Amino acid sequence: MTALSRTATLARDLVRFPSVNWGAGRSDGEAEAAGYVEAVLQRMGLKTRLFESAPGRVSVLTRVEGRTREPALVLHGHTDVVPADAAGWSVDPFAGEVRDGLLWGRGAVDMKDMDAMMLASLEDILGSGRQPARDLVVAFFADEEAGGVLGSHWIVDRHPELFAGAAEAISEVGGYSVDLAGRRAYLLQTGEKALVWAKLTARGPAAHGSRLIRDNAVTTLAEAVARIGRKDWPIRLTDTTRALVDELGRILGIDPKAAGEDAVVLASGTASGFILATLRTTTNPTVLEAGYKHNVIPDTATALIDIRTLPGEEEAVLAELRELVGPDIEIETVHADVGLENPFEGPLVEKVIALLGEHDPGAPVLPYLMSGGTDNKALSKLGITGYGFAPLRLPADLNFPAMFHGVDERVPLASLDFGTEVLTDLLLTY
Ligand SMILES: [Zn+2]
């Protein structure tokens, strides 16, 4: 076997920490992953600070001095991953296996790949006696996979001074390539949908399972869940999605007005996995809970709904849901966070486009709105404009969108090295 590059080694080591975030405040091993990252940063001569928001929920931050007096850039990643059920995987999700030129494992895509690229770029720059152009605030957050309550939000709320002088941020879920009918293009994430995690509760009489009960809580809840899950939210384009759909239409030779926006997006191949949900609101039921015995009708039934609205539409969507489920269902917001939409222009965007043009000539860069959320939401509270830019040149046949929180997460080693080179150039020249 050929030796792994530095980026691949760092990514593999990080995948081997089962830093699983189970949600509801529970996680394993973020502290160990943060400890590993801290040691790597300290070996570069950087002063690190650890923040433990709750036992074991550790984030690590450092600051790197730049050559210029331009506003600082925040470079951030998260060390936690979502759970992985090994039964569905071709490999042990936490073994950090390298097979066929790819690194396999939970976090290989989301987002220990970028964590490793960040570390390797900094090693490259500082190890050769150079300095980044701007001051960098480098953060590895805990708890991103549960909304950042014990990670980015906790730190931004308690230690805003750590981000003093920072205007922009870059992080995950953007900057990777997609194949558009045989043509490679890059998606730069310039915005994120808003999220509302809602809990529905239905109540009724507790009773023997043999009785005639018309207002059974499970039945009431099931009807509401079905209505929400089946709701077909209309397409509504924002500045970002309009620009993206128009550009996709131009590249693919399809007129969005004639064919419809969904048809243009579907023709984009695997990229549609990232894009379809960004043209409208989505309301997905994700968890159901009721009952404890086959012959007992329970007095309550609950469901969790993952709602992702377009930026600014949270209240309107909740009002529509209340209408949809009727007065017998209580709707409670468990967690909510803002949507973001940043311009696809300005010096950082221009620099990103120029760098991708140098490293992969001829591949266009398109803006996109992300259906999920990142720690950029927390940073936006400090007025920091965050983009998703974890650059990866990927093979055309790799279904990258499907691997976020999916099975058999894997990233090509060559893509990691490409990303480190682009990121290094960005930090040196922006
Ligand atoms: Zn992530």
Side-chain angles (χ1 to χ4, degrees), residues 68 73 132-134 168 347-349 351 425-430:
T68 70
L73 179 69
R134 292 170 186 248
E168 292 165 321
L348 176 56
V349 170
K351 173 59 80 174
D425 281 357
L426 177 72
L427 300 183
L428 284 171
T429 61
Y430 177 66

Side-chain angles (χ1 to χ4, degrees), residues 78 80 109-111 144-145 171-173 370 373-374 404-405:
H78 61 82
D80 59 328
V109 164
D110 183 8
M111 66 167 289
E144 194 275 342
E145 295 293 0
S171 187
E172 59 176 335
V173 215
M370 186 194 167
T374 74
F404 285 81
H405 300 192

